Amino acid sequence: MKFSTLSSIVFAALPLASAHYTWTSLIVGSTVTPAWQYVRTHTNMNSPVTAVNSIDFRCNKGASNGASTQTAAVTAGSTIGFSLDNTLYHSGVLNVYMAKAPSTASTFDGSGSVWFKVYQISAIADGKSIKFPADGLNKVTFTVPKNLPNGEYLVRVEHIALHVAQSFGGAQFYISCGQIKVSGGGSGNPGPKVAIPGVYTGNEPGILINIYNNFPTQYIQPGPAVWSG
């Protein structure tokens, strides 16, 4: 969706949409796996997380343990992703992070400065309008970095909905974590690594933003740079 000065007047007059969504399934290759088979179940239904300093910000509410979740076998350099129970209804941007488990992904809570970004879909701004290429998607796919070391990983997807992000705490984060075991990898050193929560303060210009007017000349994607391996 594209927002311009004219469209900001129209959207300001509309009631806030209530459509929410959640990431339910891991995509392995071209296969959308059954809901919650390889994605940790959470207790937040399809509601967002808004507190960036909450433990729920890591894998969503009630998802600190993956004992009931299977771990998908994937190869480095292959395609994986996530699918939704809806579409990305709210305008925003997307990040995917990974974290290597010390042992198994199912027992890893994701604590520490262990997360690195492997994929993102940003926004396009020119001072006159802002566009969101992720709008309307019902799935995202990306490449597992070819030089990623073998082992088990958590894979965290977040869509940052910015439709009410003009005030602090207004950005909505739609989050899920999948579990994978990587083989055929290399000896890369993924980074920069960040802690989640801790990666954002909520004051970043890409999180605290009015997408209906006062458009930036460049959108600044939240989080570290993507590590492509």
Side-chain angles (χ1 to χ4, degrees):
M1 186 176 291
K2 176 181 178 179
F3 291 98
S4 63
T5 302
L6 177 60
S7 64
S8 70
I9 299 173
V10 176
F11 276 86
L14 294 176
L16 294 178
S18 60
H20 290 170
Y21 36 87
T22 191
W23 304 94
T24 59
S25 298
L26 190 71
I27 300 170
V28 180
S30 60
T31 301
V32 178
T33 61
W36 312 118
Q37 181 178 8
Y38 301 114
V39 175
R40 290 186 176 184
T41 57
H42 56 77
T43 58
N44 208 23
M45 303 296 288
N46 63 353
S47 296
V49 178
T50 57
V52 298
N53 61 349
S54 167
I55 193 67
D56 297 339
F57 192 68
R58 188 175 296 154
C59 286
N60 216 322
K61 186 176 181 180
S64 61
N65 183 281
S68 63
T69 306
Q70 297 180 45
T71 300
V74 305
T75 57
S78 67
T79 298
I80 64 171
F82 290 88
S83 70
L84 292 151
D85 65 347
N86 201 333
T87 62
L88 295 179
Y89 182 90
H90 298 307
S91 290
V93 298
L94 182 138
N95 290 316
V96 179
Y97 292 87
M98 295 181 66
K100 193 174 190 295
S103 55
T104 63
S106 63
T107 58
F108 185 36
D109 68 357
S111 59
S113 296
V114 293
W115 296 91
F116 54 96
K117 191 192 290 187
V118 294
Y119 184 70
Q120 66 182 29
I121 302 177
S122 192
I124 304 168
D126 61 6
K128 299 178 181 178
S129 65
I130 187 166
K131 300 177 183 178
F132 297 95
D135 281 9
L137 296 179
N138 62 8
K139 64 181 179 180
V140 295
T141 58
F142 54 94
T143 301
V144 178
K146 191 172 182 62
N147 289 320
L148 187 71
N150 293 341
E152 298 199 11
Y153 290 82
L154 293 181
V155 188
R156 176 186 178 274
V157 60
E158 66 176 16
H159 181 248
I160 310 174
L162 300 172
H163 58 297
V164 288
Q166 61 266 35
S167 59
F168 182 83
Q172 298 180 352
F173 295 80
Y174 294 87
I175 302 163
S176 283
C177 284
Q179 299 178 176
I180 63 171
K181 182 176 183 178
V182 176
S183 62
S187 56
N189 183 24
K193 292 185 174 73
V194 296
I196 301 176
V199 61
Y200 312 135
T201 65
N203 286 303
E204 289 80 2
I207 294 177
L208 182 58
I209 181 174
N210 187 331
I211 64 172
Y212 305 108
N213 52 50
N214 299 320
F215 305 110
T217 56
Q218 180 182 10
Y219 179 80
I220 302 174
Q221 183 78 358
V226 169
W227 186 76
S228 59

